[in-house]
Amino acid sequence: MGGTFNPPHIAHLICAEEVYELFKFDKALFIPCARPPHKNNNEIIDAHHRYNMTILATEDNPHFEVSRIELDRPGRSYTIETVKELKQLYGSGMEIHWIVGADAILEMPSWKNIDELLEICSFIGINRPGYDISYANEKILKKIRIVDVTNVDISSSDIRQRIRKGKSIKYLVPSSVESYIYENGLYK
């Protein structure tokens, strides 16, 4: 599961847990995007903070892991490069299933080497409130297995906005992530 995780929140965890359980995967690997090519905004905090928060968010789940793969690679973070690196790391026989939200599905036509990526990796798509995947590229949509998970309408952008307004984020993020945000003065 890739993403900016800016910050990681409960909906990310619910989604990963339900997909893990549904497909009986070996593990769910969270990959914080170091330098997202599709997001050029100043709201994305340093990747190391996002990595640390993702570790905190997942630490109590034995089948969740967090990878530094994109943080340790220079340049923009492209999914095609990450998938190829994961295949080298785990062996070409390892099946990789990339979890994407409806927002990402709509952006996929602009992803680097999308046709090759769809051939070497399978995708599991998750519906998100406010995004209509019926507008997605039909060719791409045919290659994605759409699953329904518990619908929790939480977004990182809403959490950042709540922090700026001095509102509570309790129960939207794990308590360890909430503490980390306040201890480090993030999103003010």
Side-chain angles (χ1 to χ4, degrees), residues 1-5 12 15 33 36-39 79 98-112 114 117-118 123-137 140-141 144 146:
M1 181 176 208
T4 52
F5 301 117
H12 291 131
C15 173
C33 183
H38 293 94
K39 295 186 180 185
T79 305
W98 199 274
I99 302 169
V100 291
D103 54 332
I105 293 170
L106 295 170
E107 292 178 343
M108 287 177 77
S110 67
W111 286 18
K112 181 178 180 182
I114 187 61
L117 181 59
L118 290 167
F123 283 85
I124 299 169
I126 307 298
N127 278 316
R128 275 187 70 185
Y131 295 92
D132 185 353
I133 60 170
S134 68
Y135 293 108
N137 178 290
I140 290 172
L141 206 49
I144 298 174
I146 304 296

Side-chain angles (χ1 to χ4, degrees), residues 24-94:
K24 301 188 181 353
F25 287 145
D26 295 329
K27 64 181 164 185
L29 185 64
F30 288 73
I31 304 174
C33 183
R35 289 160 294 283
H38 293 94
K39 295 186 180 185
N40 292 321
N41 81 46
N42 297 332
E43 286 197 14
I44 300 175
I45 62 168
D46 182 79
H48 295 285
H49 280 307
R50 294 183 287 107
Y51 172 77
N52 290 338
M53 288 188 290
T54 307
I55 287 176
L56 290 170
T58 60
E59 68 187 348
D60 67 346
N61 190 320
H63 50 262
F64 283 0
E65 287 183 26
V66 182
S67 171
R68 292 185 51 88
I69 195 167
E70 291 190 358
L71 279 72
D72 294 339
R73 189 174 62 234
R76 292 284 193 182
S77 301
Y78 293 107
T79 305
I80 184 75
E81 293 170 7
T82 302
V83 168
K84 286 180 177 181
E85 195 171 338
L86 288 171
K87 285 188 172 282
Q88 285 181 338
L89 188 66
Y90 291 109
S92 59
M94 172 67 69

Side-chain angles (χ1 to χ4, degrees), residues 29 38 69 75 78 97 120 129 135 142 148-149 153 156 165:
L29 185 64
H38 293 94
I69 195 167
Y78 293 107
H97 305 271
I120 65 171
Y135 293 108
K142 286 181 181 178
D148 288 320
V149 296
D153 192 6
S156 296
K165 291 180 176 178

